[in-house]
Amino acid sequence: MNLEPEYREGLDQLAAHYKEVLSLLGEDPSREGLEKTPMRVAKAMQVLTRGYTQDARKVLTDALFEEKYNQMVIVKDIDFFSMCEHHMLPFFGKVHVAYIPNGYITGLSKIARVVDIFSHRLQVQERMTQQIKDCIQDTLKPLGVMVVVEAKHLCMQMRGVEKQNSITTTSDFSGAFNQAKTREEFMNLIRPK
Ligand SMILES: [Zn+2]
């Protein structure tokens, strides 16, 4: 089978398993509407987990620029879609990132790429938040970095565990953001006006 570049090995096996899953759920995988579903799901799942094959640190180390600017750099409202590792159902929302450079900056789109890579894996929101922070801290070595993630979790909303529309917020920070005043400055800037 000639794999399109965005798909990985194991696609056929994955599709075979999804066919089995459909049967186990009480469906008839041979009926017309479901005939191509196992392969579609397999492809979709490979795309949603493509972050496993991508190196977020390399994205940043490949795009470091020396720069004397040492005020807070903020990238807010980065949309993301991920899947919770407990139910494999989506959680999605926005990521806000701030860092204070220490000689190096990176392209703003690279921060969004890092978010994209960590979100395209099975995740818990807390760990994703920390991984984004660590990745930026370890590569740019800024004076501090802070990451705030706001998300809705379909595993809670669809199963009725939580109130509809509740938003889960997580944050992690390092260095200069240990000071409440610095965190506040960032939080004020990302708060919707
Ligand atoms: Zn879940």
Side-chain angles (χ1 to χ4, degrees):
M1 187 187 172
N2 221 342
L3 285 178
E4 293 161 65
E6 70 254 49
Y7 302 116
R8 311 196 290 279
E9 263 180 61
L11 189 63
D12 286 333
Q13 274 169 288
L14 200 51
H17 285 293
Y18 277 118
K19 192 172 173 185
E20 187 68 25
V21 167
L22 286 174
S23 296
L24 290 168
L25 292 175
E27 261 294 353
D28 169 12
S30 65
R31 74 177 171 85
E32 209 188 335
L34 289 180
E35 229 175 329
K36 291 183 177 159
T37 298
M39 183 50 81
R40 282 197 207 100
V41 178
K43 284 181 171 176
M45 292 307 268
Q46 281 204 349
V47 170
L48 297 180
T49 57
R50 68 180 173 221
Y52 289 123
T53 63
Q54 298 169 328
D55 186 345
R57 279 173 171 72
K58 193 172 180 309
V59 168
L60 294 186
T61 51
D62 283 354
L64 286 185
F65 307 105
E66 233 179 307
E67 184 59 62
K68 287 207 163 56
Y69 183 80
N70 61 1
Q71 298 300 309
M72 198 181 289
V73 176
I74 294 173
V75 191
K76 65 172 195 169
D77 295 332
I78 303 168
D79 289 314
F80 81 93
F81 295 87
S82 191
M83 265 189 306
C84 83
E85 67 183 16
H86 302 131
H87 306 92
M88 293 179 71
L89 287 170
F91 69 97
F92 57 95
K94 289 186 188 303
V95 178
H96 314 289
V97 174
Y99 69 96
I100 302 171
N102 186 20
Y104 291 95
I105 57 164
T106 187
L108 299 182
S109 67
K110 304 300 177 191
I111 300 282
R113 272 285 289 145
V114 168
V115 170
D116 189 76
I117 289 171
F118 286 118
S119 61
H120 281 74
R121 297 176 185 186
L122 298 183
Q123 280 288 10
V124 293
Q125 185 178 331
E126 293 84 347
R127 187 177 65 230
M128 188 181 84
T129 308
Q130 192 187 345
Q131 285 175 335
I132 296 166
K133 180 215 71 177
D134 287 343
C135 179
I136 296 168
Q137 182 63 49
D138 295 347
T139 53
L140 290 181
K141 302 194 181 354
L143 297 175
V145 53
M146 181 160 176
V147 177
V148 175
V149 180
E150 300 172 307
K152 291 183 174 188
H153 291 250
L154 289 191
C155 68
M156 295 198 283
Q157 296 186 351
M158 292 176 78
R159 298 185 310 136
V161 180
E162 289 266 308
K163 271 196 206 112
Q164 300 286 321
N165 291 319
S166 72
I167 291 178
T168 305
T169 303
T170 49
S171 64
D172 198 3
F173 52 85
S174 65
F177 289 91
N178 279 294
Q179 293 180 323
K181 204 170 151 274
T182 312
R183 289 199 301 278
E184 248 165 59
E185 183 186 341
F186 175 43
M187 295 307 282
N188 283 334
L189 287 162
I190 62 173
R191 211 156 277 153
K193 303 262 143 51

